[in-house]
Amino acid sequence: MESVETLVAHIQALSGSPEDLAQLHGLLKQADGDALRAHSAALLPLLPQLHPAAHSLGYLFLLDAFLSAPANLKAHAGGDLLATVANFLISCSAEQIRLSPDKFLNVCKVLKGEAMQLNAPIRGIAPLRAAVRKVQPSSEHLTPLHAEYLTLCLLAKQYKAGLSVLEDDIFEVDQPKDLFLYCYYGGMIYIGLKKFRKALELLHNAVTAPMTSLNAITIEAYKKYVLVSLIQNGQVPSFPKYASSTAQRNLKNHAQIYVDLSTCYGNGSYSELETFIQSNTEKFETDNNLGLVKQVLSSMYKRNIQRLTQTYLTLSLEDIASSVQLNTPKEAEMHVLRMIEDGEIHATINQKDGMVSFHEDPEQYKSSEMVEHIDSSIQRLMALSKKLTSIDENISCDHAFLMKSGRERGRGFDYDDFDSVPHKYF
């Protein structure tokens, strides 16, 4: 290959028009590989001669070649390496880096690894968020970088930062693994934010997505799905019909202790549930779910208090404490107050006689805020319906789908068929 100095000159001269970029891309692919990596020691000092935004494609090839060098060579870059990669991801041109998405993904993974090695995952959040947006064809497209980004948000405990990608509506998925990881890590982000309803949505998707064999991600997602279902709804729903037969037949066998926990929870006895958890603490701790299991135990009080509202109109704090196995009326009062604040029950407490009066939902659905909320929900559902209709029409015209549906004629429909449908349809 030509000298790296000559290659840098080509990058500087051919980073303008699409035609020039196509020519440069060809030159870079010819130089790529062992020949370029053999000069890896000279690459990092040459990068300042290039602008990350104007010369993004060439910068990407040189940076990737350097990052593929032996670890001892990269170590000489010190903390500057993380800063160099971060600056590139934030500044680079989306149009140029999309010409070589695999190399861009590799650079992003190196940034994540460097941030984790320095025990500073927070330093990788902003660069990876920028990288996700640049590699996405649209906000509806799921990329491999989504999971990398959410991992850093979890490690840095910057849960709100994860919402920047989790609040997008995803309709395009290239690889099934990307979807499973996105749903699993996204569920964990929402658990960290105590937004259990949203966590359930994502974990549900991980558990019910089409699959022909179980994977470790789905099994771990199901364990958390059981726990969050108990916290949010007090029960674990049965598998829907559209869940793969693989999941329906095998998932519970790989999470039997969680199934048993759900059964114990359904008995409504706090002491029995506490005993079960204590006897299986080591297992829950090994799964890194002990904290969530403790929240399940705490939710037992809330669930039992909600059951009382279905039976009584008024009840003393002392009776509530006795019924739900709290130690004192004061503890019962704190739980009732917290549930009132969270909108989980509608009640008033008479401080004089310690009586609690339970009420119906006071919402009349007439306020301007409620009307705006309903209108917004209707508009969102209409947009979603339109999108789903478009997807359905595209699938109906897809050659692979038509070939499959043609083969299926003459025999009954089976939900197992979904397992072998190309994942691009979901």
Side-chain angles (χ1 to χ4, degrees), residues 18-318:
E19 294 76 15
D20 287 343
L21 282 172
Q23 182 182 349
L24 175 62
H25 196 197
L27 293 172
L28 290 170
K29 286 193 289 187
Q30 291 176 13
D32 192 30
D34 294 336
L36 186 57
R37 283 193 288 272
H39 299 82
S40 55
L43 296 179
L44 193 63
L46 291 174
L47 287 179
Q49 298 181 30
L50 302 175
H51 194 284
H55 311 117
S56 299
L57 183 60
Y59 199 110
L60 174 61
F61 269 76
L62 298 187
L63 183 59
D64 178 66
F66 176 76
L67 295 176
S68 301
N72 61 339
L73 179 60
K74 290 188 291 184
H76 292 303
D80 292 341
L81 180 60
L82 180 59
T84 299
V85 177
N87 180 58
F88 170 71
L89 296 184
I90 292 173
S91 306
C92 67
S93 161
E95 178 186 3
Q96 292 191 34
I97 60 95
R98 287 178 187 171
L99 295 173
S100 186
D102 291 340
K103 288 190 177 297
F104 188 71
L105 177 60
N106 181 56
V107 168
C108 291
K109 288 184 175 180
V110 170
L111 173 108
K112 173 196 168 188
E114 287 292 318
M116 292 173 62
Q117 187 173 350
L118 294 172
N119 198 27
I122 195 171
R123 292 182 59 184
I125 290 178
L128 270 191
R129 179 169 56 232
V132 168
R133 294 311 182 195
K134 290 178 180 180
V135 80
Q136 275 184 306
S138 73
S139 62
E140 298 178 350
H141 203 107
L142 186 66
T143 74
L145 289 182
H146 279 77
E148 307 290 346
Y149 173 69
L150 293 175
T151 301
L152 288 185
C153 292
L154 285 167
L155 292 173
K157 292 183 169 55
Q158 297 295 310
Y159 305 127
K160 289 186 178 179
L163 299 181
S164 61
V165 298
L166 289 174
E167 291 178 345
D168 293 334
D169 290 324
I170 299 296
F171 294 100
E172 299 288 337
V173 180
D174 291 332
Q175 297 296 328
K177 183 180 178 181
D178 297 338
L179 175 64
F180 286 115
L181 287 174
Y182 172 80
C183 293
Y184 179 61
Y185 290 145
M188 292 176 67
I189 289 283
Y190 279 119
I191 288 171
L193 292 169
K194 305 291 186 184
K195 295 185 176 182
F196 295 116
R197 184 181 63 81
K198 297 294 293 184
L200 264 184
E201 291 178 11
L202 286 170
L203 294 173
H204 175 87
N205 290 339
V207 169
T208 60
M211 66 186 82
T212 54
S213 60
L214 281 184
N215 60 74
I217 306 169
T218 303
I219 293 171
E220 295 306 310
Y222 181 68
K223 293 174 182 178
K224 287 182 169 56
Y225 176 73
V226 170
L227 298 177
V228 177
S229 293
L230 293 176
I231 293 171
Q232 178 67 17
N233 300 321
Q235 60 183 355
V236 181
S238 57
F239 288 105
K241 290 184 177 180
Y242 53 80
S244 70
S245 58
T246 299
Q248 296 188 50
R249 284 197 302 261
N250 302 312
L251 262 182
K252 290 184 178 181
N253 296 333
H254 288 80
Q256 188 59 50
I257 191 174
Y258 294 87
V259 176
D260 295 341
L261 175 70
S262 173
T263 302
C264 185
Y265 189 97
N267 295 334
S269 171
Y270 182 90
S271 57
E272 181 183 340
L273 181 62
E274 186 177 35
T275 301
F276 178 86
I277 291 172
Q278 288 175 349
S279 62
N280 294 281
T281 295
E282 185 177 348
K283 174 59 177 174
F284 292 129
E285 201 163 18
T286 301
D287 289 343
N288 292 317
N289 284 329
L290 184 58
L292 205 53
V293 168
K294 289 180 178 178
Q295 292 184 62
V296 171
L297 181 62
S298 297
S299 73
M300 175 66 80
Y301 291 129
K302 177 178 70 174
R303 200 64 54 201
N304 286 338
I305 291 174
Q306 286 178 328
R307 289 193 183 103
L308 294 176
T309 68
Q310 299 170 11
T311 307
Y312 301 96
L313 291 176
T314 59
L315 202 61
S316 69
L317 289 171
E318 186 175 351

